[in-house]
Amino acid sequence: MNFSYWMELIMSGVVTGACYALIGAGLSLIWGTLKMVNLAHGEFYMLGAYILWVSLTVGNMPLLIAIPIAAVSVVVIAALLHMATIRPLLRKPGWDMSPWILTLGIQILLQNIALQVWGELYQNVPYFWNAIFKPGNLFTISGQRIIILFGTFAVILLLMFIIKKTKLGRAIIATSQDGEFATMMGINTKRVYLVTYGISAMLAAIAGVLMCPVYSVNPWMGTTVQTKGLVVCILGGLGSVEGAIIAGIVMGIVESLTVSVVGSAWRDVAAYLLLIIILYVRPEGLFGRKREG
Amino acid sequence: MLELRSINSFYGDVQILFDVSLEIKEGEIVTILGSNGAGKTSVIKSICNLLPIGSGEIYYEGQRIDKIPPYKLINLGISLVPEGRRLFPDMSVYDNLRLGGYPLKDKKTLSDNLEWVMELFPRLKERSKQLAGTLSGGEQQMCAIARGLMIRPRMIIFDEPSLGLAPVIVDQIFEILTQIVHENHSTILLVEQNAQTALEISDRGYVLENGHIVLEGASKELLESPEIQKAYLGL
Ligand SMILES: Nc1ncnc2c1ncn2[C@@H]1O[C@H](COP(=O)(O)OP(=O)(O)OP(=O)(O)O)[C@@H](O)[C@H]1O
Ligand SMILES: [Mg+2]
């Protein structure tokens, strides 16, 4: 157990954490604006991976075309689902319950469609970049993991730019703080709901695209990731995108250290223990705001 | 400028407004009086289509507006300062004000208008970086009014701007309201329970009771009318 061993453990934790961060950020965005939990979120991750796999193997497309195709297709699917199912129920009586049932239904539906179309065999996507690096001879890291890190970093930077610096971002923040009154400022909140849902789905699809060479592609790959995404989203403070991102990375590192120190069976135990401890100390999550009333 | 023709509004199956008709001419200040639960806020929500009307018609400058979605109203020059202020609590004062100018395309107009409202309320300039949710009640009301002014609205609707404020601040706020009209030739619809002051600054008034308009007239006459004096002025 030397320095490079620990370094590799942490790097591997950060890579998994990057995936949790992308999923958690999307769930947090949806929670913040639509005030609902999207139980079909992991399926956007799964679809991103499958569409990439199909484009690469069946379509024989180059990677740089297959990736945008996967991301955009998932956004289109998510947008259509949103308009057909979520929009008609939005803020109608029963809204406290309806998104849970609805998105659970969408989750089951999408998993079974994937199963019917692509079968139950686990599929593999080759690494985007078959290289191994030894920065300063301190530790080794694969090209794929470097791509995951930089890809996630770039996407999160872009997301933060959109939220903090653009008019769309201001509309999203206003809608999340007071959706009804935001309309009186001239904000088309229906469109904000659609756009945030689409952006969130795209984040999940990108996570699926980046991670699938490391794991494998199958109809159920979204479920564990989604559960972790929800944990991360609560940990970071519901509705706080920054919180979800930081909590995601922390969660990835904690899991990776647990796996090597006490064994892989303890991985999820550590994740939920972390959740329980943090919520015990800070019930509003790491970056959530206390609300009175 | 704005005309409601016998509108009826409902929350679910419960009827709240009954054949409400009223008219506001350009440049006027019109006030709606009524006790708690009379339906004043419901009238405003109906105008803004936040509460879609069951029947009736609403015209703004000759154009029918009761079917257009609420987010388009601000483009017609209509601005709302709502009941309970409804500031975006986790945004700074500055960001709240800037959001009030959301529909403005031109950066110059936006910064001019920001400067103008900060001049009207110097207090907000001092506090521009503070989160709106942490302002005092009076400051929050100023911020809500300033936000409502950001587009230099042609018509501005106030829902109980004086609620919960000290008399000194109420006077200040009403003074600014009258100033706005004179400077900008804005038209104002004012909902108030503070009948005395509201009638003093307005041209005409309507009295709402249980969702019915029961009295209307020039503010001067209303001030003299025995019913009003008894019910709203405590004389
Ligand atoms: N969202 C709602 N759902 C059901 N009933 C409502 C709703 N909002 C208001 N009401 C009812 O409609 C009636 C009129 O309410 P409204 O808010 O228009 O009164 P108001 O004149 O503005 O009163 P106040 O002076 O207290 O603000 C009240 O009886 C109220 O209980
Ligand atoms: Mg009211």
Side-chain angles (χ1 to χ4, degrees):
Chain A
M1 298 225 195
N2 49 17
F3 176 76
S4 78
Y5 173 78
W6 291 107
M7 215 36 216
E8 273 160 34
L9 267 186
I10 290 179
M11 286 318 280
S12 124
V14 174
V15 167
T16 329
C19 168
Y20 296 163
L22 286 175
I23 304 287
L27 284 167
S28 221
L29 261 181
I30 292 179
W31 173 267
T33 49
L34 285 123
K35 313 290 180 224
M36 61 172 265
V37 171
N38 183 36
L39 292 179
H41 211 66
E43 280 48 58
F44 297 143
Y45 170 89
M46 179 266 290
L47 286 175
Y50 262 116
I51 295 172
L52 180 77
W53 172 71
V54 169
S55 313
L56 290 175
T57 54
V58 183
N60 265 326
M61 289 178 209
L63 200 56
L64 284 178
I65 295 179
I67 291 175
I69 284 187
V72 171
S73 317
V74 171
V75 171
V76 172
I77 294 169
L80 292 176
L81 279 172
H82 176 95
M83 288 191 283
T85 63
I86 297 174
R87 181 175 282 176
L89 295 178
L90 208 74
R91 308 277 174 272
K92 296 279 158 59
W95 178 246
D96 49 341
M97 215 34 225
S98 52
W100 294 88
I101 300 162
L102 172 65
T103 57
L104 182 65
I106 295 176
Q107 174 183 43
I108 296 169
L109 179 75
L110 291 178
Q111 279 181 12
N112 282 293
I113 290 178
L115 183 62
Q116 290 304 315
V117 176
W118 295 303
E120 57 179 18
L121 277 183
Y122 282 35
Q123 308 294 346
N124 290 303
V125 172
Y127 274 24
F128 299 167
W129 191 16
N130 263 320
I132 300 280
F133 294 88
K134 290 194 172 166
N137 249 332
L138 291 174
F139 61 97
T140 46
I141 184 166
S142 69
Q144 183 64 33
R145 285 171 193 263
I146 291 179
I147 289 180
I148 293 174
L149 290 179
F150 280 93
T152 307
F153 187 67
V155 168
I156 286 175
L157 223 56
L158 183 66
L159 176 68
M160 282 312 174
F161 175 79
I162 292 173
I163 293 178
K164 304 259 179 218
K165 296 287 175 207
T166 65
K167 210 166 176 173
L168 171 64
R170 260 177 284 148
I172 290 175
I173 296 173
T175 305
S176 68
Q177 291 186 21
D178 188 340
E180 186 193 35
F181 194 68
T183 59
M184 296 311 297
M185 308 274 88
I187 295 168
N188 183 351
T189 45
K190 265 192 186 166
R191 214 167 72 201
V192 171
Y193 295 139
L194 175 65
V195 171
T196 37
Y197 200 78
I199 291 177
S200 303
M202 182 182 293
L203 294 176
I206 289 174
V209 161
L210 289 172
M211 299 303 290
C212 67
V214 177
Y215 303 132
S216 59
V217 185
N218 66 73
W220 310 279
M221 65 190 284
T223 41
T224 31
V225 169
Q226 168 169 301
T227 315
K228 288 295 160 58
L230 284 169
V231 171
V232 155
C233 179
I234 297 167
L235 208 56
L238 276 173
S240 162
V241 175
E242 290 108 318
I245 291 166
I246 292 167
I249 308 278
V250 169
M251 176 73 87
I253 296 175
V254 167
E255 280 190 8
S256 159
L257 291 177
T258 312
V259 168
S260 89
V261 177
V262 282
S264 58
W266 292 87
R267 180 194 173 109
D268 290 351
V269 178
Y272 294 109
L273 211 57
L274 183 69
L275 177 70
I276 292 168
I277 292 171
I278 293 201
L279 288 189
Y280 186 74
V281 183
R282 265 182 79 86
E284 67 276 21
L286 289 175
F287 292 78
R289 218 175 273 287
K290 275 207 180 90
R291 298 228 174 260
E292 50 265 50
Chain B
M1 186 161 192
L2 181 74
E3 195 186 350
L4 276 61
R5 290 192 197 153
S6 54
I7 63 163
N8 291 282
S9 294
F10 304 79
Y11 286 113
D13 294 331
V14 185
Q15 185 161 7
I16 297 295
L17 298 178
F18 302 83
D19 278 324
V20 169
S21 299
L22 55 87
E23 198 189 351
I24 302 157
K25 298 201 181 67
E26 193 154 2
E28 264 189 333
I29 302 183
V30 169
T31 184
I32 301 180
L33 300 176
S35 48
N36 292 118
K40 305 179 296 296
T41 301
S42 305
V43 171
I44 289 177
K45 285 194 167 179
S46 301
I47 295 173
C48 299
N49 205 2
L50 292 172
L51 171 64
I53 58 176
S55 67
E57 289 151 27
I58 303 176
Y59 291 88
Y60 175 76
E61 300 192 306
Q63 182 193 351
R64 201 157 162 190
I65 60 163
D66 48 87
K67 296 282 181 295
I68 74 170
Y71 74 90
K72 287 188 174 162
L73 280 180
I74 199 162
N75 294 319
L76 301 174
I78 302 178
S79 183
L80 170 64
V81 179
E83 181 169 38
R85 302 157 185 124
R86 301 285 281 270
L87 295 174
F88 298 100
D90 298 335
M91 264 186 223
S92 68
V93 169
Y94 177 83
D95 284 343
N96 265 280
L97 296 180
R98 198 161 63 146
L99 208 58
Y102 184 83
L104 297 174
K105 297 262 172 340
D106 178 32
K107 280 218 167 85
K108 173 95 172 50
T109 323
L110 184 69
S111 62
D112 285 353
N113 291 3
L114 263 167
E115 208 160 292
W116 171 58
V117 298
M118 298 259 202
E119 256 166 50
L120 281 175
F121 300 97
R123 198 55 184 265
L124 296 178
K125 196 168 192 167
E126 292 162 25
R127 313 233 149 217
S128 68
K129 294 214 166 54
Q130 194 173 326
L131 290 187
T134 64
L135 294 172
S136 78
E139 289 165 346
Q140 288 195 11
Q141 190 62 60
M142 291 178 196
C143 188
I145 296 175
R147 181 183 61 183
L149 292 174
M150 274 301 295
I151 55 158
R152 285 186 183 262
R154 308 200 28 247
M155 159 128 209
I156 180 160
I157 303 173
F158 292 96
D159 195 348
E160 303 206 38
S162 72
L163 194 72
L165 301 181
V168 199
I169 301 178
V170 174
D171 288 347
Q172 250 179 33
I173 281 177
F174 278 117
E175 200 172 299
I176 288 168
L177 294 196
T178 35
Q179 190 186 334
I180 295 162
V181 192
H182 290 139
E183 275 181 17
N184 284 281
H185 311 286
S186 299
T187 307
I188 292 185
L189 175 58
L190 176 65
V191 163
E192 260 302 333
Q193 290 201 52
N194 193 336
Q196 179 80 37
T197 331
L199 288 173
E200 275 168 13
I201 66 162
S202 59
D203 301 296
R204 287 185 307 112
Y206 292 85
V207 178
L208 201 61
E209 258 173 37
N210 298 325
H212 298 267
I213 300 257
V214 292
L215 206 61
E216 59 177 282
S219 298
K220 278 201 194 78
E221 289 160 23
L222 290 178
L223 270 170
E224 317 266 273
S225 115
E227 291 110 301
I228 297 278
Q229 291 193 339
K230 210 164 107 223
Y232 298 99
L233 301 173
L235 296 176

